[in-house]
Structures are given as C-alpha cells and as structure tokens.
Amino acid sequence: QVDLVESGGGSVQTGGSLRLSCVPSGNMYKDYWMAWFRQSPGKEREGVAALYVYDGNTYYADSVKGRFTISQDNDKRTLYLQMNSLTPEDTAMYYCAATLPYGGSRDRPLVDYEYNIWGQGTQVTVSS
C-alpha cells in the first residue's frame, strides 16, 4: 500500500511561483506513472502534468505548457510540480496521483481514471 502526501500549496499573486511536493510512502516500483491533477469548485478534475517514471517522459495540459514542470528526485520518490507565471485561473486544489503498482503505456496519461492512488490535496490560490 502506497500513500501520497502533498505539500507546498499556498497563496501567491499573479505572476508568482510555487513548488508542490508529493512524498510517497510504501513500496515503490520502476514502472509506474505519477501525475498532478487539480480541481476548483464547480469544475471537473483536470490533469495538469504526468510523468512516466519508467522512461522519464512527461506530459502537460495545454493550459500549463511552458509554465509548469513536473519532475521527480533522483531516488525516484518525491514528485514535484514547479509552477511559474501563475494566474487566478490556476487557483484550485492540487492532487498528486499514482498508478502503483501498475505500469505500462497510457494513451491518456492526464485522465484521472488511469490513477488508483491519490493524495489528500494541497490548495493553491492565486490573487490578481
């Protein structure tokens, strides 16, 4: 059983930056996906960025390309989301997710039903 704990959320002004962290506990594997999703009130959960740990490939929603970067530390545990040039539209609860212990390719790595383990979320608020 793997648990995910997010941190790093907070309040910033437009144009600011935040870095979210997701620390997994439990047994880890070499072939799995990790991702960041977000959800704001009244909206569907949106996939923001995904990382295929097996080969390091990353995927981003169009809304965050060029502004957000997903990465994982060298011991392949903590997942990060560096968020730059934040706007009020980025305001949401951000969730870390993983497909552990399931690996393999994914046609749609930013779709939430691909992920079976979820963190509790960390709030990001961007003011104008």
Side-chain angles (χ1 to χ4, degrees):
Q1 177 68 34
V2 174
D3 293 321
L4 304 174
V5 179
E6 304 99 331
S7 63
S11 297
V12 296
Q13 293 187 327
T14 295
S17 298
L18 284 173
R19 188 176 78 158
L20 307 183
S21 298
C22 172
V23 180
S25 62
N27 292 328
M28 305 299 289
Y29 297 83
K30 295 182 179 180
D31 185 357
Y32 62 99
W33 292 78
M34 294 194 78
W36 290 97
F37 288 79
R38 66 186 181 187
Q39 188 169 24
S40 52
K43 293 186 178 181
E44 293 186 357
R45 187 159 52 189
E46 173 191 21
V48 174
L51 169 70
Y52 187 24
V53 176
Y54 182 74
D55 62 11
N57 282 339
T58 57
Y59 302 82
Y60 296 93
D62 288 342
S63 58
V64 306
K65 279 181 182 176
R67 300 189 299 123
F68 290 12
T69 302
I70 188 171
S71 64
Q72 192 177 37
D73 62 11
N74 290 335
D75 66 3
K76 295 189 180 300
R77 292 195 69 88
T78 302
L79 184 74
Y80 300 102
L81 184 68
Q82 178 66 44
M83 306 186 294
N84 299 326
S85 303
L86 286 163
T87 73
E89 288 69 37
D90 296 315
T91 295
M93 184 72 78
Y94 283 71
Y95 299 92
C96 176
T99 63
L100 289 159
Y102 309 106
S105 62
R106 296 284 191 277
D107 291 333
R108 303 179 68 187
L110 295 178
V111 175
D112 57 2
Y113 61 69
E114 294 282 6
Y115 296 83
N116 60 310
I117 298 176
W118 294 83
Q120 294 299 308
T122 184
Q123 178 68 36
V124 171
T125 303
V126 185
S127 58
S128 57

